[in-house]
Amino acid sequence: MADAASQMLLGSGLTILSQPLMYVKVLIQVGYEPLPPTIGRNIFGRQVCQLPGLFCYAQHIASIDGKRGLFTGLTPRLCSGVLGTVVHGKVLQHYQESDKVEELGPGNGQKEASSSFDRVIKETTRDMMARSAATLITHPFHVITLRSMVQFIGRESKYCGLCDSIVTIYREEGILGFFAGLIPRLLGDIISLWLCNSLAYLVNTYALDSGVSTMSEMKSYSQAVTGFFASMLTYPFVLVSNLMAVNNCGLAGGCPPYSPVYTSWIDCWSMLQKEGNMSRGNSLFFRKVPFGKTYCCDLRMLI
């Protein structure tokens, strides 16, 4: 019980600290670019025409809504985080209790490689079910969070309070409105989890020397690296999910010119792929000017 409470407190703290970052990221994902590009340098030191990064974007939001405005959508996001932690823990606890008899029973005389692989499959499957349940239950709060952020673009006040937002979505879109963008989000979570755990297992089993004294540290590092790699590969699912959550919801940020009206998440995926925008919002620091966009940037300064 104490572990669950400390985990929720830690998660809530990280959520509060990362809220401005997510706010900027969401606005960039829907295509909102209020600031012109500037002359900067890329990671190789070469002068390029690039869009403002996280700090400039956050300053722009704070100049309009104040520093408090950077935490728009925090309440539903905190609710989502706390509820998701509880659901995830309950599902894992259920699996652990049901597996106690199996773990204590016969059948442990198998060879180490086989039992290790079976354990990875079992743990990943259980984690997948727990994450999916948490995502399914908390997705309505995720939708409210995104829409309360995106309404900054049109200066609307449609999704201000948590209760009012729930009533608005139910009145205009029904139950399905709370689950807009759910499918790509679930797919992204599942693919990312299996990629991360599978790659970590392969690296830990075949690439690392079990005789190394810092083996446990190396395995934790490999888990972090594979997790980052998996999240990069599945980022398009995150982008599509967020766009579908705000698509055609009555906000300026969910309609043209910022975002086309998509018929389905597959249509959204296809259009982003055709435009070459599958990584939009993935980087918040070295941001290239999107292909096809025209800005007043003095390119002569680059020579």
Side-chain angles (χ1 to χ4, degrees), residues 181-202:
L182 175 62
I183 294 178
R185 188 182 178 200
L186 275 175
L187 288 175
D189 285 347
I190 292 172
I191 295 173
S192 177
L193 176 64
W194 280 97
L195 272 176
C196 174
N197 289 1
S198 300
L199 289 174
Y201 170 77
L202 292 175

Side-chain angles (χ1 to χ4, degrees), residues 42-63:
N42 59 17
I43 58 176
F44 302 106
R46 181 182 177 184
Q47 282 191 324
V48 292
C49 185
Q50 60 186 20
L51 293 168
L54 169 66
F55 299 110
C56 291
Y57 213 119
Q59 273 186 335
H60 172 73
I61 296 173
S63 66

Side-chain angles (χ1 to χ4, degrees), residues 156-221:
E156 296 111 333
S157 57
K158 190 175 181 180
Y159 300 94
C160 284
L162 182 60
C163 295
D164 290 341
S165 299
I166 293 174
V167 172
T168 300
I169 294 176
Y170 182 76
R171 183 178 63 245
E172 295 184 357
E173 303 172 56
I175 295 294
L176 293 179
F178 293 104
F179 299 97
L182 175 62
I183 294 178
R185 188 182 178 200
L186 275 175
L187 288 175
D189 285 347
I190 292 172
I191 295 173
S192 177
L193 176 64
W194 280 97
L195 272 176
C196 174
N197 289 1
S198 300
L199 289 174
Y201 170 77
L202 292 175
V203 171
N204 294 337
T205 304
Y206 301 106
L208 296 180
D209 185 3
S210 58
V212 179
S213 58
T214 57
M215 186 63 183
S216 59
E217 294 183 10
M218 292 296 292
K219 286 188 175 183
S220 63
Y221 293 149

Side-chain angles (χ1 to χ4, degrees), residues 48-279:
V48 292
C49 185
Q50 60 186 20
L51 293 168
L54 169 66
F55 299 110
C56 291
Y57 213 119
Q59 273 186 335
H60 172 73
I61 296 173
S63 66
I64 297 175
D65 288 342
K67 292 181 179 179
R68 187 178 178 180
L70 291 170
F71 296 90
T72 299
L74 179 60
T75 300
R77 192 176 174 215
L78 282 174
C79 293
S80 175
V82 172
L83 185 59
T85 300
V86 172
V87 173
H88 187 271
K90 290 293 184 182
V91 174
L92 287 182
Q93 182 180 359
H94 171 74
Y95 277 110
Q96 290 169 358
E97 291 175 354
S98 63
D99 286 348
K100 279 183 179 179
V101 178
E102 181 181 346
E103 291 175 359
L104 296 175
N108 294 326
Q110 300 176 1
K111 56 183 181 179
E112 183 180 353
S114 177
S115 62
S116 176
F117 179 73
D118 290 342
R119 187 164 58 252
V120 169
I121 295 295
K122 181 182 292 186
E123 290 177 355
T124 304
T125 302
R126 289 192 307 202
D127 199 12
M128 178 187 69
M129 298 302 294
R131 288 193 187 189
S132 298
T135 299
L136 182 65
I137 293 176
T138 62
H139 193 73
F141 295 101
H142 182 66
V143 171
I144 294 173
T145 299
L146 295 175
R147 293 186 180 184
S148 62
M149 292 175 173
V150 169
Q151 66 184 0
F152 172 84
I153 298 173
R155 308 304 299 158
E156 296 111 333
S157 57
K158 190 175 181 180
Y159 300 94
C160 284
L162 182 60
C163 295
D164 290 341
S165 299
I166 293 174
V167 172
T168 300
I169 294 176
Y170 182 76
R171 183 178 63 245
E172 295 184 357
E173 303 172 56
I175 295 294
L176 293 179
F178 293 104
F179 299 97
L182 175 62
I183 294 178
R185 188 182 178 200
L186 275 175
L187 288 175
D189 285 347
I190 292 172
I191 295 173
S192 177
L193 176 64
W194 280 97
L195 272 176
C196 174
N197 289 1
S198 300
L199 289 174
Y201 170 77
L202 292 175
V203 171
N204 294 337
T205 304
Y206 301 106
L208 296 180
D209 185 3
S210 58
V212 179
S213 58
T214 57
M215 186 63 183
S216 59
E217 294 183 10
M218 292 296 292
K219 286 188 175 183
S220 63
Y221 293 149
S222 67
Q223 186 79 18
V225 171
T226 54
F228 175 76
F229 180 70
S231 65
M232 291 288 290
L233 289 179
T234 56
Y235 176 78
F237 289 97
V238 177
L239 176 60
V240 171
S241 174
N242 289 352
L243 289 179
M244 291 305 299
V246 301
N247 184 58
N248 200 24
C249 64
L251 297 176
C255 301
Y258 298 107
S259 177
V261 176
Y262 305 110
T263 57
S264 67
W265 73 270
I266 298 177
D267 177 45
C268 177
W269 183 291
S270 301
M271 194 167 297
L272 288 173
Q273 198 169 38
K274 188 182 299 182
E275 296 171 350
N277 287 329
M278 294 300 287
S279 61

